[in-house]
Amino acid sequence: MSPLPPRAGRHCHSPVNSLHATVYFSPDFTEELARLGIEDRGAAYFAGRAAAMGAVGPGVVTAAFYNFRHDLIARHLPAVWDTASPDTVLAARLRAVDTTLRRLLGEEAVASAEMAEAARLALRATEGCTRHARPLYAAHADLPVPEQPHLAYWHAATLLREHRGDGHLTALLDLGLDPLEALVSHTATGKGMSPRWVIATRGWERQDLDAAAGRLRERGLLDAAGELTTAGVELRAELEDRTDRLDLAPYELLGERDVARLTELAKGFTVAAALAGGFPADLVGKG
């Protein structure tokens, strides 16, 4: 087997993951969970993403999600499972995926040969994933594969997302970036979640972000203006490289030609979703 081009897996994962993420920004998702009685948006997110692990408590979710404030999670879990069971939540999530992708991509794209091809390729890639030390991936890997291609593609995207994400947390721990330092340093790259979104969705407050920035400055990773130093840029690059190495197997299994094809298909779907308003305009940025 010939080696993949540098960062080919990362370049494939990015658009695959982006389309996966649309459901959590979708009004269809919040409406489906609200019909179950889960009306708080935070509770809906935690339930929707954690349900594959069962009726878990806040400690498990804090560990698996990494960059959310524990107190915020504990506000909603395990109480949310008294409102709706994990299986009920998973069914509602899949209904939201269906309506979201149909709305963002259109019926023609959902029923297209390209969607079926993307599902086939993405599912093939997941055969290279491994369960050990990857709790979110492993939980989702136990779920059945939906029959319809667009749902199968989203399911495969979930597996690839959580597989890479679980490995990314290992790399963060190894490089000594705590949850807030990970968020602040990512925001400083210009490609991470904006501080407004971090505060609104992760449960942290401005002083928490400022304290993390102070710790990063003490390590020489941020300058006085909040920009990454040379050392900070190098650390973030090393973080992504380590994550790539931990996530290489699915893309090695798929092979160079099929990785390139899946990347092409995924980019097309993700661009279409973005043009249809699938992502908040102010999600990413330093401001």
Side-chain angles (χ1 to χ4, degrees):
M1 181 183 297
S2 60
L4 293 175
R7 295 180 287 279
R10 187 193 309 180
H11 294 157
C12 184
H13 173 267
S14 181
V16 170
N17 173 53
S18 293
L19 188 68
H20 163 93
T22 57
V23 71
Y24 294 114
F25 300 115
S26 172
D28 307 303
F29 175 72
T30 52
E31 288 169 8
E32 285 287 353
L33 273 291
R35 291 190 187 101
L36 303 181
I38 305 173
E39 298 181 353
D40 184 279
R41 293 178 65 90
Y45 175 79
F46 294 132
R49 192 166 168 222
M53 296 188 290
V56 292
V60 172
V61 174
T62 299
F65 288 17
Y66 196 73
N67 60 25
F68 289 79
R69 187 170 188 161
H70 179 74
D71 291 352
L72 173 64
I73 297 171
R75 192 182 307 163
H76 303 298
L77 296 178
V80 71
W81 308 124
D82 293 332
T83 302
S85 71
D87 285 344
T88 302
V89 169
L90 287 170
R93 185 179 72 169
L94 198 60
R95 291 194 298 271
V97 173
D98 181 44
T99 54
T100 297
L101 294 185
R102 291 181 187 279
R103 175 171 51 81
L104 294 178
L105 303 181
E107 295 292 338
E108 183 176 345
V110 162
S112 67
E114 289 78 11
M115 180 62 76
E117 182 183 8
R120 178 183 62 79
L121 292 172
L123 286 168
R124 172 61 176 157
T126 67
E127 294 175 13
C129 296
T130 54
R131 285 181 167 82
H132 46 273
R134 299 181 194 267
L136 268 175
Y137 162 75
H140 282 90
D142 286 343
L143 300 179
V145 179
E147 292 185 7
Q148 296 183 74
H150 66 296
L151 300 181
Y153 177 58
W154 190 87
H155 172 77
T158 303
L159 300 185
L160 293 172
R161 167 198 171 99
E162 302 299 9
H163 187 269
R164 183 177 179 87
D166 287 337
H168 187 65
L169 302 191
T170 298
L172 285 170
L173 288 171
D174 192 38
L175 289 170
L177 290 173
D178 70 24
L180 274 163
E181 292 163 359
L183 286 168
V184 171
S185 62
H186 193 204
T187 296
T189 68
K191 299 177 181 179
M193 185 177 292
S194 70
R196 189 185 78 81
W197 272 88
V198 170
I199 292 169
T201 65
R202 265 54 181 170
W204 304 108
E205 299 179 2
R206 171 56 67 176
Q207 56 263 37
D208 298 315
L209 302 185
D210 291 343
R215 294 194 298 274
L216 292 171
R217 283 193 295 272
E218 290 175 1
R219 293 174 61 182
L221 302 174
L222 279 187
D223 64 21
E227 300 293 329
L228 290 172
T229 62
T230 299
V233 170
E234 291 174 350
L235 183 133
R236 289 294 315 187
E238 175 61 20
L239 171 63
E240 295 304 328
D241 287 345
R242 292 190 188 191
T243 303
D244 287 346
R245 290 195 292 272
L246 291 169
D247 191 42
L248 187 58
Y251 304 99
E252 282 189 328
L253 178 66
L254 199 55
E256 181 178 355
R257 183 186 65 180
D258 284 347
V259 166
R261 178 57 175 161
L262 178 57
T263 304
E264 177 186 15
L265 292 168
K267 283 182 177 178
F269 294 137
T270 296
V271 168
L275 291 174
F279 306 97
D282 60 349
L283 178 64
V284 174
K286 299 180 182 182

